[in-house]
Amino acid sequence: MRTGFGYDSHRLAHGRRLMLGGVEIPFERGLEGHSDADVLVHAIIDSIIGALGLGDIGSHFPDTDPAYKDADSMSLLREIVQKAGAVGYETSWVDATVVCEEPKLAPHMQAMCESLLSAGIRGVNVKAKTNEGMGFIGRGEGIAAFAVCTLTKTP
Ligand code: MG
């Protein structure tokens, strides 16, 4: 069995879609980034790469590579889950926390979990927290996400 941890943060900006866990969340701002900037999916990808001992998301999907411009992060997640499978690990569990002041994520939680499961993760739990008004998250400048995954060696 392997565990991995991932963290990511992105800045909120006008004129961008807000993608979290592969779900578009209605909000007046979205996350800035080279890809679709899905901070939750990026944290999960990094946790799986960490569990595999294969470095980090930047070494697999460099943000200097035009191929990943506006990339659908869910397709990168599917790729990493498949890569884990190819070396004999099932992505059996992911637990993640998104930290943002707004918008409220509770109404979208089920859709986000279903979306993440569709990438081949066997079980998932997503939590949402605010930062109690503190720091860059509290000021509404950005969103952060943390994720822990468990990979199980397939027989
Ligand atoms: Mg990122």
Side-chain angles (χ1 to χ4, degrees):
M1 204 176 261
R2 297 272 189 94
T3 56
F5 170 75
Y7 167 80
D8 196 24
S9 63
H10 280 263
R11 190 181 288 274
L12 279 162
H14 289 281
R16 294 275 301 180
R17 296 185 308 156
L18 178 57
M19 297 298 297
L20 288 173
V23 174
E24 185 170 351
I25 312 279
F27 191 51
E28 76 265 16
R29 291 181 296 161
L31 294 173
E32 213 168 49
H34 184 68
S35 66
D36 65 7
D38 191 324
V39 67
L40 171 57
V41 169
H42 292 182
I44 293 171
I45 289 173
D46 241 357
S47 75
I48 297 170
I49 292 173
L52 292 171
L54 293 176
D56 64 28
I57 189 169
S59 57
H60 290 261
F61 310 112
D63 63 6
T64 49
D65 187 337
Y68 301 115
K69 176 102 178 77
D70 300 322
D72 170 13
S73 296
M74 283 298 292
S75 70
L76 309 183
L77 176 61
R78 269 188 287 274
E79 208 176 299
I80 284 296
V81 169
Q82 279 163 15
K83 188 170 275 193
V87 295
Y89 285 100
E90 179 183 81
T91 305
S92 44
W93 191 260
V94 167
D95 183 28
T97 299
V98 180
V99 192
C100 66
E101 295 297 316
E102 342 170 71
K104 284 264 174 284
L105 298 182
H108 310 288
M109 211 47 94
Q110 194 181 338
M112 289 194 283
C113 288
E114 281 167 12
S115 161
L116 292 167
L117 291 172
S118 78
I121 296 168
R122 291 296 295 269
V124 69
N125 185 75
V126 179
K127 307 179 291 298
K129 309 277 289 181
T130 74
N131 219 31
E132 300 281 335
M134 297 180 287
F136 76 90
I137 296 168
R139 292 189 296 269
E141 293 168 13
I143 295 180
F146 301 83
V148 173
C149 75
T150 305
L151 306 187
T152 310
K153 191 84 175 159
T154 47

